[in-house]
Amino acid sequence: NAGVTQTPKFQVLKTGQSMTLQCAQDMNHEYMSWYRQDPGMGLRLIHYSVGAGITDQGEVPNGYNVSRSTTEDFPLRLLSAAPSQTSVYFCASSYSPSSYEQYFGPGTRLTVT
Amino acid sequence: QQPVQSPQAVILREGEDAVINCSSSKALYSVHWYRQKHGEAPVFLMILLKGGEQKGHEKISASFNEKKQQSSLYLTASQLSYSGTYFCGTESGGTSYGKLTFGQGTILTVHP
C-alpha cells in the first residue's frame, strides 16, 4: 500500500494563479479531508468528504474547492491564489472521522508570492 | 470551532511526566491525539470515544470527561523521542459528523 499520497511536494504560485493539489489513497477509505497548517494555528480543516460524491465545508473553506468523484481521489483546487494561502497542506483519510485513525499524507508546501 | 489545548509548550528532562489538556465548547463524540515531528506529517497516538472505548498505543494514556468536554493526554517517564507537537482533534457527531477539528497544538521538548 502506498497509503496517502500528495502531489506536488512543493509549489510556488503567483497571486491570481490557480492550481490543484492532488491527494490519493489506496486503502479504500470513505472519509477524506484537507487541512492547512500555519505556525501557531494548528491544523485547520478546509473541506472534507464522507464518501464519493459527498463533500462539505470545514472551518476555512473560502478560496478552495473540492470534489470527490472516486473513493480514491480528493483534489483541492485553489481558484485564485492569494498570499494568505501560503501554508502547508495536508490530506488525510480514514474509514471514519470518528472512531478510526486518520492517515496523513506527507504534505504540500505552497508559497504564493 | 477549534478545541483549546493547554499548555502551549512544555519543557521536560528525560524521565519526567507531562499532561496535555484539550477542551471543547461542544459535546463530543470522540477525541483524537496525534504527534507531529518537525517537517513531518502528524502521526496517530490514540482515540477516545464517547462511552469509554479507547484505541491506541499501550505506552500512552489519556482520559475523556464527556460531561466537561475535556480530554487529557498523559506522558509518563518521558523519552527524547517524545519531543514534538501534540494535537488533539475533536468530532461531535450528529449534524457535525465528519467535521474533525484540531487544536492549536502543544510543543513538547524533552532534554537529556
Side-chain angles (χ1 to χ4, degrees):
Chain A
N1 285 350
V4 180
T5 58
Q6 291 184 237
T7 55
K9 290 188 176 180
F10 301 94
Q11 182 71 49
V12 179
L13 289 179
K14 294 184 187 292
T15 298
Q17 288 184 318
S18 63
M19 79 159 295
T20 299
L21 307 186
Q22 301 291 344
C23 175
Q25 52 90 12
D26 61 357
M27 296 173 280
N28 202 30
H29 287 165
E30 289 293 326
Y31 180 75
M32 296 185 75
S33 56
W34 277 102
Y35 293 89
R36 61 176 289 174
Q37 185 171 36
D38 305 295
M41 301 294 290
L43 295 157
R44 291 187 291 170
L45 182 65
I46 305 172
H47 286 285
Y48 61 98
S49 169
V50 297
I54 305 169
T55 63
D56 209 340
Q57 296 182 350
E59 306 164 271
V60 288
N62 291 342
Y64 307 95
N65 272 359
V66 292
S67 60
R68 184 99 180 268
S69 55
T70 67
T71 299
E72 295 77 20
D73 300 299
F74 192 42
L76 178 72
R77 281 183 289 277
L78 278 71
L79 308 173
S80 177
S84 60
Q85 294 179 304
T86 293
S87 188
V88 179
Y89 292 84
F90 287 102
C91 177
S93 76
S94 173
Y95 288 113
S96 151
S98 304
S99 47
Y100 286 89
E101 169 184 357
Q102 302 296 311
Y103 291 83
F104 284 84
T108 294
R109 185 173 294 274
L110 175 69
T111 302
V112 183
T113 61
Chain B
Q1 189 173 2
Q2 287 182 289
V4 177
Q5 291 183 229
S6 63
Q8 291 187 341
V10 182
I11 299 175
L12 299 174
R13 293 213 175 271
E14 269 189 299
E16 293 181 337
D17 302 337
V19 180
I20 301 173
N21 301 303
C22 175
S23 65
S24 174
S25 58
K26 295 182 177 182
L28 301 177
Y29 178 78
S30 65
V31 179
H32 299 225
W33 288 97
Y34 289 78
R35 177 171 59 211
Q36 185 180 33
K37 302 278 188 178
H38 184 70
E40 300 179 4
V43 173
F44 170 74
L45 294 175
M46 175 165 286
I47 293 175
L48 302 102
L49 301 176
K50 185 177 180 179
E53 184 180 357
Q54 295 187 17
K55 303 178 184 180
H57 298 277
E58 295 179 358
K59 293 187 177 181
I60 295 175
S61 62
S63 63
F64 179 19
N65 186 324
E66 297 170 28
K67 289 185 179 179
K68 293 186 176 181
Q69 293 111 245
Q70 293 176 345
S71 178
S72 294
L73 184 71
Y74 304 96
L75 303 163
T76 56
S78 60
Q79 305 169 16
L80 295 177
S81 61
Y82 285 12
S83 292
T85 302
Y86 289 76
F87 293 99
C88 73
T90 58
E91 201 266 345
S92 296
T95 55
S96 296
Y97 177 74
K99 208 166 188 177
L100 177 59
T101 55
F102 286 87
Q104 80 280 17
T106 295
I107 301 171
L108 180 72
T109 305
V110 182
H111 291 296

